[in-house]
Amino acid sequence: APPTPTPEPPARTDPAPTPAPATPGPLYDPNADPTADIEAALAAAKADGRPVLLDVGADWCPDCVVLSRMFERPAFAAWLATVHVVRIDVGYWDHNLDVAARYGNPIATGIPAVVLLSPEGAVLGSTADGRLASASLMKPAAVLAILQALGG
């Protein structure tokens, strides 16, 4: 007698496996054009009146990474919604130093450093004194207070 065909297994009803997340890109992109990014942010700032925050640092810097992670916290969201953020990579003190110099060399005492610009491009405030260079040791509320005080 011919063999009895085996029934097909039931169709899977569980969802397809979720693909692994893509490898995240750099926080401070070494291939970015910060001059063009700042110009675009200032154009947007002129249109909506919001200032521009320059976040100057590098991916190798633990304090820069900590500051970037703080920016992702809900407590920072309301304030960050009031500015245009441009991240500027300074590499190992060998990248975009001319851009940093244009805004008062805020990295002279360490990174990360931030500069707040008016929509017209004038420096409103800066952490050139190194206030954020130890961001990893600071409470998020203290970092947020520093950012909020930049505009005067």
Side-chain angles (χ1 to χ4, degrees):
T4 308
T6 50
E8 296 216 10
R12 292 179 60 114
T13 57
D14 57 334
T18 305
T23 303
L27 294 171
Y28 297 89
D29 184 354
N31 298 313
D33 179 349
T35 299
D37 294 345
I38 293 167
E39 287 174 5
L42 287 171
K46 286 177 185 163
D48 64 20
R50 295 173 9 216
V52 174
L53 182 74
L54 306 180
D55 173 9
V56 187
D59 280 12
W60 60 263
C61 164
D63 293 293
C64 300
V65 173
V66 167
L67 180 64
S68 294
R69 297 295 177 245
M70 284 185 192
F71 280 10
E72 296 169 5
R73 291 172 171 249
F76 285 72
W79 187 80
L80 287 170
T82 68
V83 299
H84 298 279
V85 179
V86 176
R87 283 199 170 128
I88 302 170
D89 174 60
V90 293
Y92 290 91
W93 304 104
D94 61 357
H95 198 65
N96 296 317
L97 301 182
D98 59 322
V99 177
R102 225 178 294 152
Y103 298 99
N105 199 23
I107 63 173
T109 55
I111 56 175
V114 297
V115 178
L116 189 68
L117 303 177
S118 72
E120 294 74 36
V123 173
L124 298 173
S126 165
T127 62
D129 59 3
R131 282 178 280 175
L132 293 179
S134 297
S136 63
L137 302 176
M138 300 174 70
K139 292 184 185 292
V143 171
L144 184 57
I146 289 169
L147 296 174
Q148 292 169 329
L150 286 175

